[in-house]
Amino acid sequence: MEFFERFAIPHPSPAIYASMVAIALTTIAVVVGLTYFKKWGYLWREWLTTVDHKKIGIMYMISALLMLFRGGADALMMRAQTAVPENTLLDAQHYNEIFTTHGVVMIIFMAMAFIIALMNFVIPLQIGARDVAFPRLNALSFWLYFMGAMLLNISFVIGGSPSSGWTSYFPLAGNELSPSVGTNYYMLALQISGLGTLITGINFIVTILKMRAPGMTLMKMPMFTWAGLITNVIIVFAFPVLTVALAMGTMDRLFATNFFTTTDGGMDMLWANLFWVWGHPEVYILILPAFGIYSEIIPTFARRNLYGYTTMVVSMVVISLLSFVVWVHHFFTMGQGALVNSIFSITTMAIAVPTGIKIFNWLFTMWKGKIQFTVPMLYSLGFIPIFTIGGVTGVMLGMASADYQYHNTMFLVAHFHLVIIPGVVFAMIAGLTYWWPKMFGFMLNERIGKWGFWFIAGGTVLAFFPMFISGLDGQARRMYTYSEGTGFGIWNMLSFVGAIGLAIGFALLVYNIYYSTRYASRDIGDDPWNARSLEWATHNPVPEYNFAITPQVNSSEAFWDAKKRGHKLFKAGYKDIHMPNNSGIPFIMSVFFFIFGFAFIFSMWIMVIVSLIAILACMTYRSFEKDDGYHITAEELKKAESELRGAK
């Protein structure tokens, strides 16, 4: 019985029991559905073993949407708990678990997954490539991310969730103050998914530098591809720091190594430094692809070329460099001294300059343009004022002396969400709507999409603007309750109403996908938005080979110039195309990583060793495997292209 006791939830509640039932019923429904409709073979052939960057991008997108609603449920429970004074909907422990998992799920498993989804789907198309440089590594990247996400999510029903905040500061995350396995889940799940993200970074850097279409120099790349390149460079430099920190934290918890303890030579502030050396570049890993998305959408619907292409590129490079020298502003109040605080205060405010340049570039792009108020454009327009307010309050937080007032209050929560929601979530929905026809061959309904935009934009403002006031009045973040005499009640109730508005907006997004899948026209052509970049020069949806003929590029808006200036994109004839074979090894290896992580969390060392041997066996098999892929012949291409053109 002692063996099974360690899997028990230390602080069970009706909500957790309901989660257990929901997970069990969902699992049974999926298994029964796949069996009844005889889809196991289809699932294995088309999805679990795929190395196609487009399908991998779609799987990232589906996972990100699932994590959005998982993290969104946490957010609603938090806002419901604090909506009225002295509420008893959640107890302190459950609230701690919810705000911890909300942060981890939204940052690591939702936002990261969504930007990688769009990078996977769009970047190879924008540079005229057949696939990414390392297709099997790309599949492994996704499955490692997915298994890391699943590992964290089962913590709620097996062993208990982490409860020491998404930053998992020591000594709070140590064994003494977090005795359950929840923080072990945090450490192992983030290491596994982070390994997948690091592989993605390497893969896309090589893809962009080595696989661009003829004529596409670096300064002729679309802006989203530029954003992807810079983002993946940040990933390669930042994620190893997180991996090392998580490994040290794991050893502290399981092997008493005392890296982050307050005794025996440890230093708890070492964790804070290592975490934020990764954590602040992580903010720009999320934001820069969003900037790239807006830089594709705004010129398309303003019917003007992007203003200041070179300055946009330079500003992103500057942002990426400065992102590594601002991390100390996350702990101005922790006693490092006036000189250090001053230096990091200056670098923090300096990063606002290249960001401001981009805002003006987008405004000048729209100046005298013929703006079309489509759903993607509405999100792009809504982003600018809300993000600007979030950014300005960030500069306020960047002033070290003033931060003593703002730090760890709801003011900081408002700032962060008013940067991340318009800067990432708006961009995700805009990019999803914009590239949806390229993914699936039909468009999302504009009317439902616009209703969703107004609920999400209005909900964002209503949910987080009141937090500025309650924060300045002294409401600390992470408080699970407060007395009526504080006066925080009205502001928290408004935030709760705003959160409901956001929930309605996201529900409308799901309904839009359902409605459009059933009723939208499939006769939309290959370029329904009258777009400008290369991905729109191929078919909707995109065939497995992307481009039947490798395009020849003359500018950063190659497709637009081909339409308006007569540039010829496809000059050569049909040739045989080499394509990679599907492989089950990435999925199988990721399953062993999941088992390895679960066993490590519960100190089941025999299972750890067995799963580690299995992982090494998969790597060895791949090393000796002879797999030359397959070819699509010129005749097959000609026939496929003829059929695709005839279907339009």
Side-chain angles (χ1 to χ4, degrees), residues 452-474:
F453 163 76
W454 288 113
F455 271 105
I456 289 172
T460 299
V461 170
L462 186 57
F464 297 105
F465 271 51
M467 293 182 187
F468 286 128
I469 300 172
S470 66
L472 290 175
D473 281 347

Side-chain angles (χ1 to χ4, degrees), residues 357-625:
I357 288 171
K358 304 181 83 61
I359 297 287
F360 283 108
N361 281 5
W362 291 316
L363 293 174
F364 286 134
T365 300
M366 290 185 283
W367 180 253
K368 295 186 178 179
K370 297 178 180 178
I371 297 175
Q372 293 178 285
F373 294 99
T374 61
V375 171
M377 191 62 168
L378 283 176
Y379 279 105
S380 303
L381 292 170
F383 148 78
I384 292 175
I386 300 174
F387 179 84
T388 301
I389 291 169
V392 168
T393 53
V395 174
M396 294 169 65
L397 286 157
M399 294 184 287
S401 55
D403 189 57
Y404 277 82
Q405 170 69 24
Y406 308 133
H407 191 71
N408 268 344
T409 68
M410 297 302 286
F411 187 96
L412 185 147
V413 176
H415 149 72
F416 183 75
H417 285 82
L418 290 176
V419 169
I420 292 297
I421 292 180
V424 180
V425 179
F426 282 24
M428 285 170 14
I429 302 172
L432 176 65
T433 309
Y434 182 63
W435 282 302
W436 185 274
K438 192 56 59 181
M439 295 178 183
F440 301 108
F442 62 92
M443 300 177 73
L444 293 175
N445 183 276
E446 281 283 297
R447 186 167 178 268
I448 300 172
K450 288 175 180 176
W451 273 105
F453 163 76
W454 288 113
F455 271 105
I456 289 172
T460 299
V461 170
L462 186 57
F464 297 105
F465 271 51
M467 293 182 187
F468 286 128
I469 300 172
S470 66
L472 290 175
D473 281 347
Q475 184 181 1
R477 61 175 175 162
R478 301 175 177 174
M479 286 170 47
Y480 89 103
T481 190
Y482 55 91
S483 66
E484 188 172 355
T486 59
F488 301 151
I490 180 62
W491 308 119
N492 284 283
M493 178 55 74
L494 288 173
S495 291
F496 177 55
V497 174
I500 292 173
L502 276 164
I504 293 171
F506 291 126
L508 284 169
L509 173 63
V510 174
Y511 176 69
N512 196 355
I513 292 172
Y514 162 77
Y515 179 89
S516 302
T517 301
R518 290 199 62 180
Y519 303 113
S521 170
R522 266 58 177 176
D523 185 19
I524 60 171
D526 295 331
D527 181 27
W529 301 119
N530 192 18
R532 308 174 83 87
S533 47
L534 201 56
E535 72 271 24
W536 299 98
T538 187
H539 303 286
N540 286 346
V542 184
E544 61 176 327
Y545 48 80
N546 291 355
F547 297 92
I549 301 169
T550 301
Q552 304 277 329
V553 174
N554 295 310
S555 72
S556 62
E557 295 184 326
F559 185 47
W560 184 260
D561 289 342
K563 291 188 293 185
K564 302 300 180 182
R565 301 180 185 176
H567 292 182
K568 192 168 183 180
L569 276 176
F570 305 105
K571 298 178 181 179
Y574 295 119
K575 297 178 181 178
D576 291 0
I577 294 175
H578 176 262
M579 299 293 291
N581 284 324
N582 284 0
S583 173
I585 292 296
F587 174 74
I588 294 168
M589 190 186 299
S590 72
V591 171
F592 288 126
F593 265 101
F594 179 91
I595 296 169
F596 171 82
F598 185 84
F600 218 106
I601 287 164
F602 288 96
S603 304
M604 296 184 287
W605 302 118
I606 294 175
M607 191 183 292
V608 168
I609 293 168
V610 171
S611 56
L612 186 58
I613 291 171
I615 292 168
L616 294 173
C618 289
M619 296 170 68
T620 303
Y621 175 82
R622 173 57 183 149
S623 297
F624 290 98
E625 182 186 14

